[in-house]
Structure formats: C-alpha cells, structure tokens
Amino acid sequence: MSTASTTSGRSVGHGRRAGIRRRRILSYVVMTILAVVFLFPLVFMFVSSLKPDSQILRDVSSLMAFVPYGDISLDNYRGIFDRVPVWRFLGNSILVTVTTVGLGLFVNSLAGFALSRLRWRGRGLVLAFVIATLIVPFETIAVPMVFWVSKLPTLGLENGVLVYDFGWLNSYKVQIIPFVANAFSIFLFTQYFSTIPRSLDEAARIDGAGWFTIYRRIIVPLSGPAFATVAILTFLAAWNQYLWPLMVVQQEELRPVMVGMQYFFQLDTAWGEIMAYTSLITLPVLVVFLIFQRQFIASVAASGVKG
C-alpha cells in the first residue's frame, strides 16, 4: 500500500514538473516571438542605413529589407556629417538631457518624499492635483508656454558687464527648466517611497536626524530602482523633444538632434541618410536602457504590486 502511494506521489510530482516545464518553454517561445516583432523596426533601420536609396526602396516590400546584402557601405553615415552638424546637435542633446535628468531626479524625488513621508494638511489634495495634470496634453499648453518663457527675466554677461533682459528663447535653459518637474515622476517616487517602512524614519528621528538627512541617508539608497526608472523615462522624453525646441530655438548651434531630422527632408529626401542618422541617435537610448533595465523592471514590479 505504501509502495503504491509512493509511486503515485512520484508520478504526480513528475507530471507537475513536466507541466511547469511546458509552461516555461511556452512562455519563452512567446517572449521570443514578441522580442523579434519589436526588434523588426530596429533591424530594418540599422540594415537600411547601410544600403543606397534605390536598394532600400526596392527591398522595402519584402523580407530582404531586413537582410544586409548587396551594395553595403558606410556612405550614408559619412553623408549625414556633410548635411547636418551632427556633433553639435549631439552635444546639445547630451547637455540638455543630462541636465534635465539630474535636476529632475533631485526635484521630483524631493517632491515625492514630501508627499509620501511627511505629514501635512492638504497632502492628498496636492497629490491629486499633480496626478490630474497628467491628462493635459503638452500640445494644448505649448503656445502659452512659449508666450511666458518669452517674458521671463534673464541675466547674462556682455563684454564683461552683467546685463538684465527678458526672454528665454534661443537658450539652453528654455529647453531644460520647463521639464525638470514632472507629474509622473513625482507620482512614481511617491508610490515607491510609500513602500519603505516608516519605522526607519522614526528610528532616524530618535537619533536626531533631520528630514533631509533621512531622505539622503535612508530613502535614496533604498530607492535605486525608482531612480533608475525615472532616469530612463526622463532621458527618453528629453532626448526625443522635437516640437518644443522647434518652437523656441531658431539658432542652429542650440538645436538638439531631433530637430536635425528636418534637414533630411529639404530639397531631396535621402532615405539612407535618414536611416543612418536615426540609427546614430538611437544608440544612446539603447545603451541607457540596457544599463538600467534591471532597476527599471524592479521599480515597475514594486510600484505595481505594492503601490
């Protein structure tokens, strides 16, 4: 009897393990198919950047568009440097993006800390107002923002003399400061900080730590995934800015990489050079995501499960 029950238990355990193995294989197959589907546009872009325009147009209706064959060369990459000041645009985008990310992490995390850890009247109302701003499309406020930034005061040096003037147009700060505070980043920090035990705050307060010390010594070290997620999302938003720089920056030496796309649609459209240019400006985004992908996934999981 015991032998029969043991054999039955082993068969049930073996069947359960086989079922788990089949589900795991099926999930891997589905994820592989999805990965291939999402990678198709990137593969097409990188492969097309190596082909001449005539071959791109000939292959676009077939699977050969994803195969690097035929007249493969780096001529398109050399051509983009003749058409646009690529290094200048890249430098501008890197400066604007890095500054926006750095200031955004500090400002939005402080706001999230105040909304999640401090006790003060009206906190829920302020958080609701912050979340409500997410439903307002940027296009609806773009023109009023242009008006207001054109009226803001500014200080500068001219021949060693401090000059006071009005208007932020044609500057780096007009591309940075309006996008430092971000409603979604504040909400994400608030949600993540709320998952950290409040007993840590109480213990630190007993030891004489102030709120900023608690933020710097306790909350920030425990919130790496949240900071990585906000850094990625802010990086993407700042790097992909097109409409706003097009409206507020007319000087070529201040323009970011996305505005440089319009140079390829003037006179004749060079599809190979367009693919080479988009490939070049896509690489920094891929590198940033690959560096922070684990923290990004951990933050989304924590916010979705615990928040």
Side-chain angles (χ1 to χ4, degrees):
M1 179 118 178
S2 60
T3 304
S5 61
T6 302
T7 304
S8 176
R10 287 178 179 175
S11 61
V12 170
H14 179 73
R16 186 177 302 170
R17 287 193 297 271
I20 293 174
R21 191 180 300 111
R22 284 194 297 268
R23 287 194 295 271
R24 183 175 298 175
I25 293 173
L26 180 61
S27 65
Y28 285 155
V29 170
V30 172
M31 287 188 291
T32 301
I33 294 174
L34 289 175
V36 170
V37 170
F38 283 109
L39 283 175
F40 266 169
L42 292 177
V43 174
F44 173 76
M45 179 180 65
F46 287 122
V47 170
S48 298
S49 68
L50 302 173
K51 298 179 180 179
D53 290 357
S54 58
Q55 188 174 347
I56 294 175
L57 297 176
R58 186 174 64 250
D59 296 341
V60 73
S61 60
S62 66
L63 290 178
M64 298 306 295
F66 304 96
V67 180
Y69 80 103
D71 189 11
I72 300 298
S73 69
L74 297 177
D75 291 342
N76 292 324
Y77 287 92
R78 286 189 285 266
I80 63 175
F81 289 94
D82 297 330
R83 185 173 292 223
V84 299
V86 178
W87 295 121
R88 184 67 181 180
F89 289 166
L90 280 173
N92 292 337
S93 285
I94 291 172
L95 174 63
V96 170
T97 302
V98 171
T99 307
T100 304
V101 170
L103 293 176
L105 288 176
F106 180 69
V107 171
N108 296 316
S109 63
L110 279 179
F113 178 81
L115 291 169
S116 62
R117 315 299 290 188
L118 305 184
R119 301 290 187 182
W120 46 282
R121 184 175 298 176
R123 181 183 60 172
L125 183 62
V126 171
L127 180 59
F129 177 77
V130 170
I131 296 174
T133 60
L134 291 173
I135 67 175
V136 181
F138 173 74
E139 289 76 10
T140 62
I141 61 174
V143 174
M145 281 180 61
V146 173
F147 173 78
W148 285 114
V149 297
S150 66
K151 302 298 182 182
L152 290 175
T154 183
L155 294 175
L157 289 176
E158 186 174 329
N159 298 325
V161 179
L162 190 64
V163 179
Y164 182 82
D165 200 357
F166 288 93
W168 283 12
L169 301 180
N170 289 315
S171 65
Y172 288 118
K173 57 179 174 286
V174 76
Q175 303 178 65
I176 298 172
I177 295 178
F179 304 99
V180 169
N182 181 272
F184 183 76
S185 299
I186 294 174
F187 174 72
L188 184 60
F189 276 125
T190 302
Q191 290 295 99
Y192 196 92
F193 292 167
S194 298
T195 65
I196 301 175
R198 293 185 178 274
S199 58
L200 298 176
D201 298 359
E202 298 170 359
R205 296 287 289 175
I206 292 174
D207 292 338
W211 284 115
F212 187 74
T213 302
I214 294 173
Y215 162 81
R216 182 169 56 91
R217 295 285 186 86
I218 297 176
I219 302 301
V220 172
L222 294 175
S223 305
F227 277 87
T229 301
V230 172
I232 291 175
L233 297 178
T234 307
F235 179 91
L236 289 175
W239 188 265
N240 292 328
Q241 279 284 0
Y242 175 78
L243 177 61
W244 181 251
L246 194 64
M247 297 173 66
V248 299
V249 178
Q250 283 76 45
Q251 297 179 8
E252 185 178 81
E253 60 269 19
L254 296 175
R255 287 177 168 174
V257 290
M258 288 302 168
V259 178
M261 285 291 297
Q262 66 178 343
Y263 285 65
F264 295 95
F265 294 95
Q266 299 172 357
L267 300 179
D268 59 324
T269 302
W271 293 109
E273 293 182 0
I274 291 174
M275 295 300 174
Y277 187 76
T278 52
S279 299
L280 191 64
I281 65 179
T282 300
L283 287 176
V285 178
L286 295 178
V287 171
V288 169
F289 180 77
L290 290 175
I291 292 174
F292 295 108
Q293 62 174 328
R294 287 191 177 182
Q295 291 86 346
F296 180 82
I297 296 171
S299 176
V300 172
S303 299
V305 174
K306 299 179 183 178

